[in-house]
Amino acid sequence: MLFELLTGRMPFTAPDAVGYLTAHLNDPPPAPSAIAPGVPAAWDRLILRLLAKEARERHASAAALAVAGGSAALYLTGDPSKDPVAWSRHLSHVDVRNNSGHDVLVADERCFVASGDYYRDNAVLHAFDVAGGEPLWEVPLDALWVRDTRFVVVGGTLLALTQGPDDSHLTLHHLDAASGERLGHPSVPLDAGLDLHGPSGLLLKAEDRLVSASDARTGDLRWTEDGDTFTAAGDLVLLDGGRALFGETGEQVWERPDLFPTGGPGLAVGEDILVYESGDNGPDLVFRHADTGEAVWRGPFLRDEPEFGAPLPPLESLVADTTVLLPPLAGERERPTAVDALTGEPRWTYEGAYGEDGRVASVPGAFVLSTGEATVCLAAADGAERWRDDAGDTGAVRTTDAFAVLYRTKDERVFRRWTTVRILDAEDGRERWTGQFDSTDVSAPATGDGLTVVLDQGGTVWALRV
């Protein structure tokens, strides 16, 4: 059955029953990859051992089979007629666990994957056709990755950041996303600020008391302005000193002495912006009119400053439609509280179980909360429970536009850890895909062309049909 699932045919063919029986008894089975190119070697080894003629060459038990699975994955799908894995590819020197940047991105009908790490193995970028998994190009970057940032794709250009050869600079690689052609690799000081301005596609940089914006593909300079730091927020770029510039041209739009951005990029909500700003005790969340900078509302986000090096949650994870979900234990909030993003007025409070480290993610029109006891999805408008998943040992929750992806890693046997990935429909919580990976870690999902792509710690890229 496994052979047929992977190749679309039985191991042996013959014109009649006698010929089929003779082949079954005497002929060695072909490797699955000989019938369906692209089948990973781990599956070849596993299935050929299962089909061995001699009993002593097969696994002694189901437990032995599970331990021998290697980098294979066991998976189920709600539609038996649909192969749950569209394609897979194996890469060397992958470290999902110790990376906080992207491992996999899908853009322009291509799947981009990073291998290497920040401490031992040099960075390599790989591109595959997302529909069929065919390799398109592979580019070694001849340097180690930066730990908290790897690569991004914008306007047909792939930007990747690696450590410089003398540890005094970083190197920003510009590659053509379609061909992998190197377009440039300028050096960047270690303390320089870098970010992309999404609406304009310009690369922002803060260096030597200047903030600049340049074309991400050519490096051509578009504008510069005095400043030490910047925060991208919708169409604007916010500078220290309370100034707001139009990101595409650098033209100053307004100046506000009470503007002190902190923590990460702002977020456009409607025609205005939501921004983390410095508060009296910890970071505040502030909603401002984008055309004037006037603060519509301000509220404490955390009771104290976050631990050193601990990032604040991306604002995208806290906003669904025009509702903002604020965590508990700040100001007068003792429970997670949803407010109207446009006015700051409370909308609803979540009264269910919720730990201080509970994770929040957003999907269209709703929030997904991991409470420790369950994973719940709450409608953004009124807090009504859309669905609940009672698997209490979920370790992480990540979301896409259509799905909530739940991760759980546990010890199955001595020295053997499996990660279970469950993909739920964000609308109704129905399980759309579940699989076990022989790996301690599995990356965040990337989606495109009807597929969900993940990378496991063993180095296998999996394109899942959900």
Side-chain angles (χ1 to χ4, degrees):
M1 182 182 293
L2 279 175
F3 189 101
E4 187 175 8
L5 283 171
L6 287 170
T7 66
R9 51 156 275 192
M10 301 292 285
F12 305 104
T13 58
D16 53 36
V18 173
Y20 181 83
L21 181 60
T22 300
H24 184 73
L25 292 173
N26 300 296
D27 295 348
S33 62
I35 308 301
V39 172
W43 281 113
D44 280 348
R45 293 192 298 271
L46 180 65
I47 291 174
L48 290 178
R49 186 171 177 184
L50 288 169
L51 294 176
K53 306 296 184 187
E54 298 292 334
R56 66 177 179 272
E57 295 178 2
R58 299 193 293 268
H59 301 96
S61 64
L65 168 61
V67 171
S71 62
L74 306 177
Y75 42 77
L76 301 172
T77 177
D79 182 356
S81 67
K82 184 170 62 178
D83 183 353
V85 174
W87 54 266
S88 63
R89 294 289 181 268
H90 185 75
L91 305 177
S92 300
H93 308 302
V94 165
D95 188 354
V96 174
R97 182 185 308 117
N98 294 305
N99 166 48
S100 55
H102 290 298
D103 296 292
V104 182
L105 285 176
V106 174
D108 302 327
E109 300 181 348
R110 303 177 187 91
C111 175
F112 303 96
V113 186
S115 63
D117 50 55
Y118 71 93
Y119 55 88
R120 182 184 61 205
D121 296 312
N122 277 351
V124 181
L125 283 166
H126 311 260
F128 303 94
D129 174 71
V130 72
E134 292 82 6
L136 300 176
W137 52 260
E138 175 181 313
V139 175
L141 301 182
D142 303 321
L144 299 173
W145 286 113
V146 174
R147 181 168 187 170
D148 58 354
T149 304
R150 284 195 167 184
F151 68 101
V152 67
V153 178
V154 55
T157 302
L158 188 151
L159 303 176
L161 196 63
T162 62
Q163 300 175 37
D166 57 359
D167 293 330
S168 63
H169 284 72
L170 306 177
T171 300
L172 182 64
H173 304 263
H174 298 239
L175 305 177
D176 181 86
S179 66
E181 177 188 356
R182 297 175 185 266
L183 304 174
H185 51 277
S187 294
V188 180
L190 285 174
D191 58 353
L194 286 173
D195 202 357
L196 276 173
H197 184 248
S200 67
L202 296 178
L203 178 66
L204 302 173
K205 180 170 67 172
E207 178 185 355
D208 296 333
R209 302 186 64 81
L210 283 177
V211 175
S212 64
S214 58
D215 186 290
R217 186 173 184 85
T218 65
D220 293 343
L221 187 66
R222 294 289 184 85
W223 55 262
T224 62
E225 187 68 32
D226 292 337
D228 292 320
T229 62
F230 66 84
T231 298
D235 289 331
L236 303 179
V237 177
L238 310 179
L239 305 186
D240 50 297
R243 292 166 294 154
L245 312 182
F246 187 55
E248 189 166 359
T249 64
E251 177 186 359
Q252 182 165 316
V253 181
W254 46 262
E255 184 173 354
R256 288 278 177 176
D258 62 340
L259 173 69
F260 299 99
T262 187
L267 179 69
V269 181
E271 297 182 355
D272 298 311
I273 56 173
L274 188 66
V275 186
Y276 286 120
E277 299 189 23
S278 298
D280 292 337
N281 299 309
D284 285 351
L285 205 53
V286 184
F287 187 73
R288 293 180 179 271
H289 287 312
D291 56 350
T292 66
E294 178 186 0
V296 180
W297 60 268
R298 174 189 295 267
F301 183 74
L302 294 177
R303 182 167 292 170
D304 302 303
E305 291 289 346
E307 294 183 11
F308 179 76
L312 293 169
L315 289 173
E316 290 87 345
S317 68
L318 305 176
V319 178
D321 296 339
T322 58
T323 300
V324 181
L325 186 58
L326 302 174
L329 306 179
E332 299 179 355
R333 295 193 306 274
E334 297 297 333
R335 311 288 303 171
T337 301
V339 302
D340 186 317
L342 306 182
T343 66
E345 293 297 318
R347 282 188 167 171
W348 48 268
T349 299
Y350 178 62
E351 300 294 345
Y354 186 88
E356 287 188 34
D357 59 348
R359 296 166 295 278
V360 178
S362 67
V363 293
F367 298 99
V368 179
L369 282 70
S370 180
T371 70
E373 297 179 355
T375 302
V376 297
C377 182
L378 307 175
D382 56 11
E385 187 174 296
R386 274 190 181 181
W387 52 263
R388 168 182 293 266
D389 183 83
D390 288 315
D393 52 356
T394 296
V397 178
R398 297 172 175 130
T399 58
T400 68
D401 284 345
F403 305 116
V405 186
L406 280 56
Y407 297 73
R408 180 180 74 248
T409 301
K410 60 186 296 187
D411 295 322
E412 295 288 351
R413 293 174 181 84
V414 178
F415 305 123
R416 178 69 59 173
R417 304 193 78 194
W418 289 78
T419 297
T420 298
V421 175
R422 301 172 58 231
I423 302 179
L424 310 184
D425 190 295
E427 184 67 31
D428 57 18
R430 182 170 62 92
E431 189 172 272
R432 299 287 297 274
W433 195 96
T434 184
Q436 280 192 321
F437 295 82
D438 183 11
S439 176
T440 55
D441 295 89
V442 178
S443 74
T447 58
D449 203 37
L451 300 175
T452 297
V453 185
V454 296
L455 175 67
D456 70 25
Q457 182 72 11
T460 301
V461 186
W462 302 92
L464 313 176
R465 289 193 181 100
V466 181

